[in-house]
Amino acid sequence: MLGQGFVSAAAIAASVLFVLSLGGLSNQEKAKRAVWYGIVGMGVAVVFTAFGPGIGNYWLMIPMIVIGSVIGWKVAKQVAMTEMPQLVAALHSFVGLAAVFVAWNADLERRRVLAAQALDATHQEFSAFAALVATKAPDELTFLQLEVVFAIFIGAVTFTGSVIAFGKLAGKVDGKPHKLPGGHMLNAGAAVVCLLLAILYLNGAGFWTLLILAALAFFIGWHLIMGIGGADMPVVVSMLNSYSGWAAAAIGFTLSNDLLIVTGALVGSSGAILSYIMCKAMNRNFVSVILGGFGGTQGPAAEIEGEQVAIDAAGVASSLNNADSVVIVPGYGMAVAQAQNAVSELVRKLRSAGKEVRFAIHPVAGRLPGHMNVLLAEARVPYDIVLEMDEINDDFPKTDVTIVIGSNDIVNPAAQDDPNSPIAGMPVLEVWKSTVVFVCKRGQGTGYSGIENPLFYKDNTRMFYGDARESIDSLLSLLD
């Protein structure tokens, strides 16, 4: 058993490692080392917490840690990069549900302590948490109850919201926005009832108030994310990441665990900042994201004229051979096809022929922030030719060939031209200003978000149909 001093020192060390981990993730070259900071920090946190003062039941805890570690290792080894967004959403749901269970248990322990004290049964053996509760003054117990309410509400919203986000990302739930009749009023009404239940609970009502509060919060999380369209899922994942952090911080206050407080605050604040940055990149209102109030169509979409014109590998290769400047825009379709290595080889051949090749990365490309950057780094694409939207958007009029690989919404001119489009006002990569645009796409469908793209019908666009990896492979032998 370790003393409290060792546990506190370990909490500080782990917190520092978590801060270093977050800081390092802002740079691709430092990302691997940053991940190791996080791994070591979490290892320190788990070991020193598990063997800290007042902790017992090792016969149950150790097998659970081993089982969880084995499951986590197997999932991490098997999950493909294309499945990473839904995996992140699933992990958020675990944090939310854990917060609800811990908060429920905390209140049951509080009631147990109060019942024992009422019977003057101070000799009764308490758990480590119950012993902590027994030392609290009445005003401190009130704060404990507030922490319980907050943890249950945020945790429950995070759980069901993350489950729906997982379903939409995995294609198991329709990616289009859906709301029940009453829309936002249902969410507002449920939130008001949750507030009333919290007041009743703080004034001595029974455990049933927390059960109903959790049920209503589960509904709010489900309904909020169901009302958000697939095009906005990257922002939703980031937002849920923030929610899970605040839920963890609330539980940290409940358990008087400094490390949970610090870690939860780091996750919550960084997730909120990332959500805000992404909202600015998509021209979305941050409050609307939090309330699940965007992603739906505002009116009838504009009619699209023309037809999609197909081209074969020989035609694409001919244009690439004659081009001086090439921009590649990757999207989720590249991830699905696992085409990043073929794209990397294409870049190598084009650059060896003296052509300028760069990548244009939209802030919400893929289904997770940084999704495309990770794939390209995995394929050893040089960092210096991977540019953000703001860095490259003005260069498209001077670009000979733009190749769009599995992208839809982030290159959709309707965002600028159609005020009724679900993505109206969202900054996009203006690829249509290039001399010629080749769109590598499986078929003529609208894709994940269900939004039609006028780019595919423009006179300077040619559709290069087929699996992305096979299509890019077919180009390699035809290049000079």
Side-chain angles (χ1 to χ4, degrees):
M1 189 72 67
L2 300 172
Q4 185 57 46
F6 283 104
V7 175
S8 297
I12 294 173
S15 299
V16 171
L17 288 169
F18 291 149
V19 171
L20 291 173
S21 179
L22 280 175
L25 291 175
S26 64
N27 185 297
Q28 288 178 324
E29 295 181 358
K30 300 177 181 177
K32 286 186 178 180
R33 183 171 57 188
V35 170
W36 276 108
Y37 284 145
I39 292 172
V40 173
M42 186 56 67
V44 169
V46 170
V47 170
F48 280 82
T49 300
F51 293 97
I55 305 298
N57 293 326
Y58 291 107
W59 60 272
L60 179 62
M61 181 193 304
I62 292 176
M64 290 296 99
I65 291 175
V66 171
I67 292 172
S69 299
V70 171
I71 293 174
W73 179 81
K74 282 188 169 294
V75 170
K77 291 288 286 184
Q78 294 175 2
V79 68
M81 275 305 302
T82 53
E83 300 170 339
M84 195 59 67
Q86 48 262 48
L87 176 63
V88 171
L91 294 176
H92 291 163
S93 73
F94 296 159
V95 176
L97 191 59
V100 173
F101 285 151
V102 171
W104 277 343
N105 183 70
D107 186 69
L108 292 174
E109 291 284 78
R110 180 187 68 86
R111 294 176 187 276
R112 179 168 170 255
V113 169
L114 293 177
Q117 290 176 340
L119 296 173
D120 199 26
T122 54
H123 63 280
Q124 183 175 349
E125 289 188 3
F126 289 150
S127 66
F129 175 74
L132 175 66
V133 172
T135 65
K136 290 182 178 291
D139 58 336
E140 291 177 312
L141 287 177
T142 299
F143 277 107
L144 173 64
Q145 288 178 279
L146 287 170
E147 292 156 10
V148 165
V149 168
F150 185 78
I152 290 175
F153 183 81
I154 297 296
V157 169
T158 301
F159 172 68
T160 48
S162 298
V163 169
I164 296 302
F166 167 84
K168 289 196 173 191
L169 291 167
K172 300 180 184 299
V173 176
D174 188 358
K176 295 180 180 179
H178 295 284
K179 286 189 178 73
L180 294 175
H184 295 304
M185 293 305 298
L186 282 176
N187 296 334
V192 169
V193 175
C194 285
L195 178 61
L196 295 176
L197 288 167
I199 294 172
L200 288 174
Y201 167 69
L202 292 171
N203 283 277
F207 186 73
W208 60 271
T209 55
L210 298 182
L211 294 175
I212 298 177
L213 190 152
L216 289 171
F218 283 141
F219 166 78
I220 292 173
W222 171 81
H223 197 223
L224 276 176
I225 308 306
M226 281 297 294
I228 298 177
D232 301 313
M233 275 301 114
V235 184
V236 171
V237 172
S238 175
M239 178 184 68
L240 290 170
N241 177 62
S242 180
Y243 287 177
S244 69
W246 298 125
I251 290 304
F253 281 108
T254 302
L255 300 176
S256 295
N257 187 307
D258 295 337
L259 187 56
L260 262 180
I261 296 171
V262 172
T263 305
L266 284 173
V267 173
S269 57
S270 60
I273 292 170
L274 179 59
S275 297
Y276 177 74
I277 292 172
M278 295 178 70
C279 284
K280 286 190 67 177
M282 297 178 68
N283 195 31
R284 301 297 191 189
N285 184 281
F286 186 63
V287 175
S288 293
V289 176
I290 296 173
L291 298 179
F294 68 100
T297 304
Q298 305 301 312
E303 293 290 333
I304 299 177
E305 298 180 355
E307 61 180 12
Q308 297 184 19
V309 180
I311 194 171
D312 59 13
V316 177
S318 176
S319 291
L320 288 173
N321 286 328
N322 293 323
D324 293 320
S325 60
V326 179
V327 172
I328 300 174
V329 180
Y332 188 69
M334 186 184 79
V336 171
Q338 288 289 284
Q340 61 269 25
N341 290 310
V343 171
S344 179
E345 178 61 18
L346 173 65
V347 170
R348 189 194 65 77
K349 291 200 71 171
L350 290 173
R351 295 184 78 191
S352 65
K355 303 179 189 302
E356 181 188 34
V357 184
R358 293 175 294 170
F359 285 84
I361 307 297
H362 193 280
V364 294
R367 296 186 186 175
L368 191 71
H371 196 179
M372 295 300 103
N373 301 76
V374 172
L375 285 176
L376 295 176
E378 179 186 46
R380 302 187 182 281
V381 171
Y383 299 137
D384 61 325
I385 66 170
V386 180
L387 305 179
E388 300 296 328
M389 177 179 65
D390 292 340
E391 298 175 297
I392 200 169
N393 233 2
D394 291 338
D395 292 347
F396 281 113
K398 298 173 288 186
T399 300
D400 296 323
V401 174
T402 293
I403 305 176
V404 178
I405 305 177
S407 292
N408 189 347
D409 303 316
I410 63 173
V411 294
N412 192 334
Q416 297 181 357
D417 303 334
D418 184 5
N420 291 328
S421 172
I423 59 171
M426 183 179 93
V428 292
L429 290 162
E430 299 172 349
V431 299
W432 57 90
K433 294 182 179 180
S434 305
T435 302
V436 63
V437 182
F438 297 118
V439 178
C440 188
K441 196 170 179 289
R442 284 183 179 273
Q444 296 187 358
T446 54
Y448 175 66
S449 67
I451 301 173
E452 193 66 74
N453 192 341
L455 169 69
F456 304 158
Y457 300 84
K458 287 187 174 292
D459 293 337
N460 64 331
T461 298
R462 294 294 180 266
M463 306 301 294
F464 188 25
Y465 293 121
D467 176 84
R469 183 169 60 182
E470 294 176 359
S471 297
I472 299 301
D473 281 340
S474 67
L475 289 176
L476 296 176
S477 61
L478 299 174
L479 295 175
D480 292 342

